[in-house]
Amino acid sequence: MASAPSKLYQDDASLVVALLDTNPFFWAAASLPFSEFLQHVVPFINSLLLLNQLNRVVLIATGTSSCGYIFDSGEANSNANANANANALCSGIIKKLEDFVGKDSKIAKGPNGNGDATRPAISSLLSGSLSLALCYIQRIFRSGARHPQPRILCIQGSPDGPEQYVAVMNSIFSAQRSMVPIDSCIVGTQHSAFLQQASYITGGVYMKPQQLDGLFQYLAAVFATDLHSRNFLRLPKPVGVDFRASCFCHKKTIDLGYVCSVCLSIFCKYHKKCSTCGSEFNQGTVDSTTREQKR
């Protein structure tokens, strides 16, 4: 599908689509409780709306089995009672997040109540929330000749899910083609290779705060600035980017692998036939099959 035609942007107005990790398994073991985490995120959302009356903020929850829209300032502004004060905004977001987490837990458990929710290190559905964010931005692209500059902010704590590698990379390249930066704020204990690549490829900002107690200060100082103002600021840059890929056969992150010369699918072991495109490889073509080392 062709990308949306370019529009006339407003330099200082921003459309921020924030992806909020609501994985209960991560937050149950996190040093910062989820309730205190929201006390940093909700004021940050308020600050974005206060910086410019044309700013728009959309909040998407990233669960373990589903994703969903939680808050849209554009819709809230149409209702005078929805944004009467900060307390109403905070209570509304928290109530919707609670409902979402409950529904997501039921989906994870399945009809029998004993699904994948028993796994302690389950990853969040990052690929799904990125897709929702890009679909929303494309709808804004086609809504009129003037609109705020869009960007995506991923506030992620859960570890990467290697099984989502293809879907996440497709979303990253879609964002790159649409010129939508993906910012990343990691609140977990380990870095995210997916989001390192996302921010690097799309020209976004990647940061892992050292002190979560001051999370609001990090968000306000780094991620509140519009894209035009970033040209005049010295924002943090990642020390390195993990470019390792995940194999298509076992969904594991690998350093060395076999690459199909037809469809570029990656495998951790040699296969006589590509499971993606069906191309067959005989013994004579084993040496010609690309085996690359990821940087």
Side-chain angles (χ1 to χ4, degrees):
M1 183 179 65
S3 60
S6 60
K7 302 290 185 179
L8 181 62
Y9 286 91
Q10 303 174 15
D11 288 340
D12 58 347
S14 300
L15 166 62
V16 181
V17 184
L19 312 184
L20 188 64
D21 190 354
T22 61
N23 189 336
F25 302 102
F26 165 74
W27 290 111
S31 59
L32 182 68
F34 187 68
S35 58
E36 296 183 11
F37 168 73
L38 292 180
Q39 294 178 8
H40 295 273
V41 174
V42 175
F44 169 68
I45 294 176
N46 268 324
S47 66
L48 290 175
L49 299 176
L50 290 172
L51 285 173
N52 192 319
Q53 62 179 354
L54 297 177
N55 282 354
R56 188 166 182 173
V57 180
V58 178
L59 185 62
I60 298 178
T62 306
T64 57
S65 302
S66 63
C67 305
Y69 293 101
I70 300 299
F71 173 75
D72 186 344
S73 63
E75 297 178 357
N77 288 336
S78 62
N79 186 347
N81 295 328
N83 62 340
N85 50 58
N87 292 331
L89 173 63
C90 180
S91 60
I93 291 178
I94 292 177
K95 179 63 170 61
K96 291 183 179 180
L97 283 174
E98 291 176 351
D99 296 340
F100 171 81
V101 172
K103 293 179 181 178
D104 184 66
S105 299
K106 291 181 180 179
I107 296 175
K109 292 179 181 179
N112 298 326
N114 55 357
D116 294 338
T118 57
R119 293 186 298 166
I122 192 170
S123 59
S124 298
L125 196 59
L126 177 62
S127 59
S129 59
L130 283 174
S131 299
L132 282 181
L134 290 171
C135 289
Y136 185 93
I137 291 174
Q138 288 297 321
R139 186 176 68 183
I140 296 298
F141 277 160
R142 292 168 170 81
S143 62
R146 293 181 67 87
H147 54 77
Q149 288 191 345
R151 67 179 187 269
I152 299 175
L153 171 60
C154 300
I155 306 178
Q156 189 76 8
S158 305
D160 293 335
E163 69 280 358
Q164 302 180 50
Y165 174 76
V166 177
V168 170
M169 293 305 299
N170 287 337
S171 298
I172 293 173
F173 292 132
S174 296
Q176 181 191 34
R177 183 173 183 179
S178 301
M179 294 182 293
V180 178
I182 299 178
D183 296 332
S184 307
C185 180
I186 307 301
V187 296
T189 58
Q190 56 185 352
H191 286 276
S192 170
F194 287 171
L195 292 179
Q196 281 182 339
Q197 297 182 48
S199 297
Y200 177 83
I201 293 174
T202 62
V205 178
Y206 178 92
M207 185 185 66
K208 186 178 182 298
Q210 298 179 355
Q211 300 292 335
L212 293 182
D213 293 340
L215 180 60
F216 172 77
Q217 284 77 7
Y218 286 104
L219 293 173
V222 177
F223 299 107
T225 54
D226 58 81
L227 299 182
H228 179 70
S229 300
R230 291 185 180 186
N231 297 325
F232 312 101
L233 300 175
R234 296 186 61 181
L235 298 176
K237 296 182 179 180
V239 177
V241 180
D242 188 353
F243 288 103
R244 290 182 300 171
S246 298
C247 66
F248 285 34
C249 46
H250 299 94
K251 311 300 181 184
K252 296 182 179 179
T253 303
I254 57 175
D255 297 311
L256 294 173
Y258 292 92
V259 179
C260 175
S261 58
V262 178
C263 67
L264 302 181
S265 297
I266 303 172
F267 304 97
C268 59
K269 297 181 180 180
Y270 171 72
H271 296 272
K272 295 182 179 181
K273 183 177 181 181
C274 177
S275 60
T276 303
C277 66
S279 299
E280 296 184 358
F281 307 104
N282 53 40
Q283 188 66 26
T285 60
V286 175
D287 296 335
S288 62
T289 302
T290 306
R291 180 169 182 159
E292 66 173 13
Q293 182 174 7
K294 297 297 175 180
R295 289 179 293 177

